[in-house]
Amino acid sequence: MKKISGLFSLLFVLFLMSCTASADLSVNSDGSLGVKFDTSFGKGFEFLLKNATGAKDNQDVFFADSREISQDLAKSNFTNINVSSNKENSSLSVTAKAPSGKTPLFESGLVKIVNQKIIVSISPKALQDYYNKSDEQTQMFMDLLMAPVFTGEEMTDTEYILLIGSVYGKSVADELKNSSFKLTLKNPDGTKGEYNIPLVKLLTMDEAVVLR
């Protein structure tokens, strides 16, 4: 059996390589951030994960360990943590609380709370910084994606999908093409923003995106 660390699974795979993923971010009355992630993974993800771990075709890969993820989140200052994973349908669900100004969400500049409203900033620089600060195993997985947002290479969505197809096959390319990330931002005054971000757009982005 091969195993990926919880932090790797949560902070990278959950955000970048799931077939379907959603995140709800909400401002609490104490100024902290409520976080809820739900995701499921397809065969393309499993194929890349086996490449990253060196697992053989007939070996199972444990993509997530609830206890390990919980421990990693606690070390990163998250509280009120609840993690559940299901190997049978390759799904993962996480809820947690992020104290204002703490946790990687705030420290990276990805999330800000201004006047009790959430602002999310996604940029090539932020993702490249994440790559540079990641452990060797995480970087190896990112390298498998050959994503322009990490390499700095200019490439259209179509060119990127064709590249993935030529290296990993049509099924992986199709899964990538159809994958997306749904983000919901909820403010205390009842206002909210809802966004559906295609994974390919994220991996080929060449300028910052600000969501609020």
Side-chain angles (χ1 to χ4, degrees):
M1 301 289 183
K2 297 285 183 174
K3 186 177 178 182
I4 289 292
S5 70
L7 187 61
F8 168 76
S9 298
L10 179 65
L11 294 184
F12 177 64
V13 178
L14 181 146
F15 187 67
L16 290 184
M17 201 52 210
S18 55
C19 262
T20 59
S22 64
D24 287 9
L25 305 180
S26 57
V27 179
N28 299 315
S29 58
D30 62 358
S32 64
L33 188 71
V35 180
K36 184 176 186 298
F37 288 109
D38 287 293
T39 187
S40 63
F41 305 103
K43 295 299 181 183
F45 163 80
E46 294 177 5
F47 176 80
L48 291 178
L49 193 55
K50 285 184 177 181
N51 271 271
T53 61
K56 297 179 180 178
D57 290 341
N58 61 349
Q59 285 182 294
D60 288 332
V61 178
F62 289 156
F63 76 96
D65 182 287
S66 298
R67 182 178 178 182
E68 197 168 337
I69 291 175
S70 296
Q71 291 174 343
D72 285 329
L73 286 172
K75 290 177 183 177
S76 297
N77 294 312
F78 287 89
T79 62
N80 296 43
I81 302 163
N82 183 52
V83 181
S84 62
S85 62
N86 188 323
K87 196 181 96 171
E88 296 303 317
N89 60 11
S90 298
S91 65
L92 176 67
S93 179
V94 179
T95 59
K97 182 177 178 181
S100 180
K102 296 182 179 180
T103 76
L105 289 175
F106 290 105
E107 293 170 349
S108 65
L110 177 65
V111 176
K112 295 180 181 178
I113 297 178
V114 180
N115 297 324
Q116 288 202 314
K117 291 186 182 293
I118 306 172
I119 300 175
V120 174
S121 302
I122 306 172
S123 69
K125 182 181 184 304
L127 293 176
Q128 288 163 7
D129 285 347
Y130 176 71
Y131 174 91
N132 292 330
K133 293 175 182 177
S134 295
D135 58 81
E136 183 178 348
Q137 187 181 52
T138 304
Q139 288 183 347
M140 179 173 62
F141 191 89
M142 292 186 193
D143 289 341
L144 290 175
L145 291 174
M146 302 176 291
V149 72
F150 299 128
T151 65
E153 183 180 358
E154 292 187 9
M155 193 177 297
T156 66
D157 298 357
T158 301
E159 289 171 337
Y160 179 56
I161 292 171
L162 288 174
L163 173 63
I164 291 296
S166 68
V167 176
Y168 299 117
K170 185 177 184 299
S171 61
V172 176
D174 287 343
E175 186 172 304
L176 176 70
K177 183 179 179 180
N178 295 320
S179 296
S180 62
F181 182 80
K182 182 180 180 181
L183 177 64
T184 302
L185 309 178
K186 301 177 181 178
N187 301 307
D189 61 4
T191 60
K192 68 178 182 178
E194 295 182 324
Y195 307 91
N196 195 61
I197 307 170
L199 178 59
V200 172
K201 293 290 185 185
L202 187 65
L203 295 177
T204 60
M205 70 185 307
D206 56 7
E207 58 183 20
V209 175
V210 178
L211 310 174
R212 61 186 76 200

